[in-house]
Amino acid sequence: MSNLPPTRDRLVAAAALLFQRKGYHGVGVAEILEASEAPKGSLYHHFPNGKSDLALAAAHFAAQETLRILDASFEDANTARDGITTFCYKLAKLFTLHDNWSGCPISSTLFESPSNQEFRLNTREIFQEWHEATKAHAIAKGAEPENADAMANALWMTLQGAWTMSRVRGTSDPIKQVPMLIFGS
Amino acid sequence: MSNLPPTRDRLVAAAALLFQRKGYHGVGVAEILEASEAPKGSLYHHFPNGKSDLALAAAHFAAQETLRILDASFEDANTARDGITTFCYKLAKLFTLHDNWSGCPISSTLFESPSNQEFRLNTREIFQEWHEATKAHAIAKGAEPENADAMANALWMTLQGAWTMSRVRGTSDPIKQVPMLIFGS
DNA sequence: ACATATCTAGACCGAATGGTCTAGTCGTGA
DNA sequence: TCACGACTAGACCATTCGGTCTAGATATGT
């Protein structure tokens, strides 16, 4: 257990990418296996519950990535608005890099059906984390707690919509519009 | 060809509903057939290309529904803001009616994979229609054309996000927040 | 050198997938 | 009454789905 074996990581990373682009049901296990160059046995060794376990892991992995981008965006920011603006532009760049098609990693992966309680719970949890992190960053940059909360709320709400609209239009422009929509021109 | 046979309509309506809740890949043809009480032969008679044709029809059907709700919302409105607010509340009610889970009918149905050009084109077209209709309504209620355009843009962007957040949180609250986010408290 | 636990490899499985096809039913106009 | 088009009915098909299983490779500790 010195360091995590690369196979598991490859599996998770490939799954995260594919789910983000095609949705949970849009990706077959075989496709993930091929993309990660992993044998089937390894999948079910690392994830006894198979695809759904892998999706959960992939979502959490992608959530961490996003959190890291958020942190980086606020690192050199002078104000909350600066941080959020940088964050949106970083996401826009990533979106373009992924052929103008990747969706929100969480909703793409975990929006399966109303009945899957576990997926819903994890989704809520991750969004809660994102919200808290954003709020904390905003406060650290001098925003009032109450204002920071509203700001985080507006960011994630608007960003979700912008993400969708970016896919619709095939352009990262909507994502870049987010700060303007939140803070006004 | 006096009036459309009910089978086709049932097929489309059932498909629209199911795709909205589970996504294109999340629904099987068999499930749609069962829900609409239609035999398989009818599906492939009315939609020679099968599932994908049906999805296109379902998306356009749902888009028309949405447009009708928009029209109704603006009917008795005094201002553009009024119309948009009513519209959001109507959608929120519908969302709650659908077990707090239905998504945007278009993106749920037509976000399939990067390669399906036809789906993407239709998606863009429908959103364009929604945008134009909203803009026209706003102008009819006295908004400046330029302002009306920005308003329509903000509405659909924010609404998309709110829709997603509503599913995440299992509450229609985010959808109800949209007017406040667009216009300020 | 050996024992043990971890991981890989892929053949294999039943179920479900979307789609095809042929036989037949039904309603309508000649 | 018959003929013809629209539509229904469901058996049937190849393929793919997610998942299981066993045999073996590989690494680690003794």
Side-chain angles (χ1 to χ4, degrees):
Chain A
M1 196 172 277
S2 49
N3 53 1
L4 273 178
T7 305
R8 203 197 122 106
D9 289 354
R10 268 184 291 137
L11 237 12
V12 171
L17 191 82
L18 285 168
F19 285 143
Q20 195 166 354
R21 297 170 65 85
K22 306 209 207 173
Y24 181 79
H25 292 292
V27 184
V29 175
E31 197 177 351
I32 299 171
L33 257 19
E34 192 188 9
S36 56
E37 293 179 281
K40 207 165 214 180
S42 305
L43 204 184
Y44 288 89
H45 170 78
H46 292 295
F47 304 97
N49 286 337
K51 196 186 183 186
S52 59
D53 263 12
L54 180 55
L56 250 12
H60 282 281
F61 167 75
Q64 286 296 329
E65 283 266 294
T66 304
L67 228 36
R68 228 173 300 137
I69 296 169
L70 184 73
D71 292 345
S73 304
F74 270 90
E75 196 150 303
D76 301 326
N78 290 318
T79 65
R81 180 176 181 159
D82 275 3
I84 286 177
T85 304
T86 305
F87 180 55
C88 290
Y89 274 77
K90 277 182 191 288
L91 288 187
K93 196 165 195 177
L94 227 52
F95 177 82
T96 304
L97 231 61
H98 290 351
D99 302 313
N100 292 332
W101 187 251
S102 63
C104 162
I106 308 311
S107 49
S108 298
T109 306
L110 263 26
F111 273 16
E112 195 209 0
S113 83
S115 54
N116 194 326
Q117 200 62 22
E118 195 181 10
F119 277 21
R120 293 186 72 162
L121 250 33
N122 275 273
T123 308
R124 218 173 295 186
E125 183 188 304
I126 287 168
F127 271 93
Q128 185 70 23
E129 278 174 23
W130 283 354
H131 179 91
E132 297 299 340
T134 310
K135 186 176 167 184
H137 274 306
I139 291 176
K141 295 299 175 188
E144 297 294 326
E146 200 174 312
N147 194 20
D149 194 81
M151 217 184 277
N153 186 51
L155 169 64
W156 288 104
M157 200 110 108
T158 313
L159 190 54
Q160 278 297 316
W163 220 322
T164 306
M165 291 306 300
S166 283
R167 298 178 88 180
V168 170
R169 299 200 196 140
T171 306
S172 65
D173 289 351
I175 296 179
K176 291 182 188 154
Q177 273 185 47
V178 169
M180 191 265 282
L181 278 172
I182 301 177
F183 299 108
S185 67
Chain B
M1 199 171 275
S2 50
N3 53 2
L4 274 177
T7 306
R8 202 196 122 107
D9 290 353
R10 270 184 290 136
L11 237 13
V12 171
L17 191 81
L18 285 167
F19 285 144
Q20 195 167 352
R21 297 170 65 83
K22 307 212 213 171
Y24 181 79
H25 291 293
V27 184
V29 175
E31 197 177 351
I32 299 171
L33 258 19
E34 193 188 9
S36 55
E37 294 179 278
K40 205 164 215 179
S42 307
L43 203 182
Y44 288 89
H45 170 76
H46 293 294
F47 305 96
N49 285 336
K51 195 185 181 185
S52 58
D53 263 12
L54 180 55
L56 250 11
H60 282 280
F61 166 75
Q64 287 296 331
E65 284 265 293
T66 304
L67 229 35
R68 231 173 298 138
I69 296 170
L70 185 74
D71 292 345
S73 304
F74 270 90
E75 197 149 302
D76 301 325
N78 290 319
T79 64
R81 180 175 179 159
D82 275 3
I84 286 178
T85 304
T86 304
F87 180 55
C88 290
Y89 273 78
K90 277 182 192 290
L91 288 187
K93 196 164 193 175
L94 227 54
F95 177 82
T96 304
L97 231 61
H98 289 351
D99 301 316
N100 292 330
W101 187 251
S102 62
C104 162
I106 309 312
S107 49
S108 297
T109 305
L110 263 27
F111 274 15
E112 196 209 2
S113 84
S115 54
N116 195 325
Q117 200 63 22
E118 196 181 7
F119 277 21
R120 294 186 71 164
L121 250 33
N122 275 273
T123 307
R124 220 174 294 187
E125 184 188 303
I126 288 170
F127 271 93
Q128 186 69 26
E129 278 175 22
W130 284 354
H131 179 91
E132 296 300 340
T134 310
K135 185 176 168 182
H137 275 305
I139 291 175
K141 295 297 175 186
E144 297 293 326
E146 199 175 313
N147 194 18
D149 194 82
M151 218 184 279
N153 187 50
L155 169 64
W156 288 104
M157 200 110 108
T158 313
L159 190 54
Q160 278 297 316
W163 220 324
T164 306
M165 291 306 299
S166 282
R167 296 178 88 180
V168 170
R169 298 199 195 139
T171 305
S172 66
D173 290 351
I175 296 178
K176 292 184 189 154
Q177 273 185 46
V178 167
M180 192 266 284
L181 279 171
I182 301 176
F183 299 108
S185 67

